[in-house]
Structure formats: C-alpha cells, structure tokens
Amino acid sequence: PDTVTTLFIQLILARTLPYMELVSKPNELPQDLTARIIEYVTGHFREPLSLEILSKKFGVSRYHLSRIFSDTIKVGFYRYINSMRITAARELLQNTNQDILGIGLDCGFENQQTFNRVFKEQTGMTPKEYRKTYAYPAIAGVELVSEYIHSIS
C-alpha cells in the first residue's frame, strides 16, 4: 500500500481500537503473538507501558517487540500507544469537565509536560486549546468559569 493508505489505516486504527474489545474464545488464547500484544496494549494503554514491560510479559526481546510494531503494525511502539492515549484524552476533553492534568494522567501520561508535548505533536494544539475549540458548550463554559475564578483569586 502507498503512504497515504498506510497513514489512513493507522488513523482509523488509532481512533477505533480504544473502543473495541478483543474477545477470545473460551478456553482458547490467541496464538498469534501480535494479536496478544495488541489485545494487551489496548486494555492497558492507560497504565505505564514500555518495551521492557511487554518484553517481560510476553517473554520476547524488546527488539522483537519493536519489530512487530514497525513491521506488522507499521508504526513505532510509543507512537502507537501515544495515539491511543491522545484519542482517549480528546474524548475526555470534549465530553467532560475533568481538569486537564487529571485527563493526561488518567490516559497514561506520566506528567503534564509530556501530555502537552505529545498532544500538540498529534493534534497541532494544546489540550487547553483543543477543549476550547471542540468541547460541548457547557463543558467549555465550565472551563472558562474555572479559569476566571483562578485569575481573580
């Protein structure tokens, strides 16, 4: 497939995987390592994840895991996980009035700086700008009132 097709497929996967549930048949675990890894990452992307953690979990080298992502999934490990995290964060920014730091932490980022950097890399705007632009009016209003209260305190 050409580059545009590959990027389109990655975008679709990044946006839909967090909403999907992989179900294995009773008494039958997925035999394909790639499927097992994707299933695990999809269910645990909000937790600390690294190639080292997955390496221990699945009993394969970090290099082998990295190759699975780059060769099979066609995207790097950290980019894949961060795409899932940002998709979840965008959903929360649009549909809740949860504070931005809490959203970043709940979506698996270790601190606000990393959350803001990755979010801006993937969306072209900060989480705060994203919320102001895309949140439902009632949620955006709560954020603006909160900012106003903090500014006069």
Side-chain angles (χ1 to χ4, degrees), residues 6-120:
T6 301
L7 291 173
F8 184 69
I9 291 169
Q10 289 175 4
L11 178 64
I12 290 171
L13 286 173
R15 292 188 183 223
T16 58
L17 280 176
Y19 302 102
M20 293 181 180
E21 180 179 335
L22 298 177
V23 179
S24 54
K25 295 178 182 176
N27 302 325
E28 185 178 294
L29 295 174
Q31 298 303 314
D32 180 52
L33 179 61
T34 303
R36 290 183 17 230
I37 291 168
I38 291 172
E39 179 179 12
Y40 184 82
V41 169
T42 300
H44 296 87
F45 72 91
R46 295 174 189 267
E47 302 167 12
L49 282 178
S50 67
L51 288 172
E52 182 68 31
I53 290 169
L54 290 181
S55 173
K56 290 177 182 174
K57 169 91 179 141
F58 292 98
V60 296
S61 73
R62 290 178 299 192
Y63 174 78
H64 185 67
L65 286 168
S66 182
R67 297 296 294 184
I68 287 174
F69 278 89
S70 60
D71 292 348
T72 307
I73 302 172
K74 305 294 186 207
V75 66
F77 172 72
Y78 290 103
R79 185 168 182 85
Y80 181 79
I81 290 175
N82 284 338
S83 291
M84 295 182 81
R85 290 174 174 168
I86 294 302
T87 298
R90 288 168 63 167
E91 181 74 22
L92 292 171
L93 287 166
Q94 286 179 301
N95 299 309
T96 73
N97 62 0
Q98 181 180 359
D99 67 283
I100 291 173
L101 174 60
I103 289 173
L105 296 174
D106 287 351
C107 290
F109 291 96
E110 293 182 13
N111 57 56
Q112 178 134 15
Q113 182 180 5
T114 303
F115 175 50
N116 287 343
R117 179 181 48 79
V118 173
F119 195 94
K120 188 160 187 165

Side-chain angles (χ1 to χ4, degrees), residues 126-147:
T126 66
K128 184 176 179 179
E129 292 167 339
Y130 186 88
R131 174 172 270 167
K132 284 183 180 179
T133 303
Y134 296 106
Y136 291 115
I139 292 166
V142 168
E143 182 76 17
L144 293 174
V145 170
S146 176
E147 284 178 25

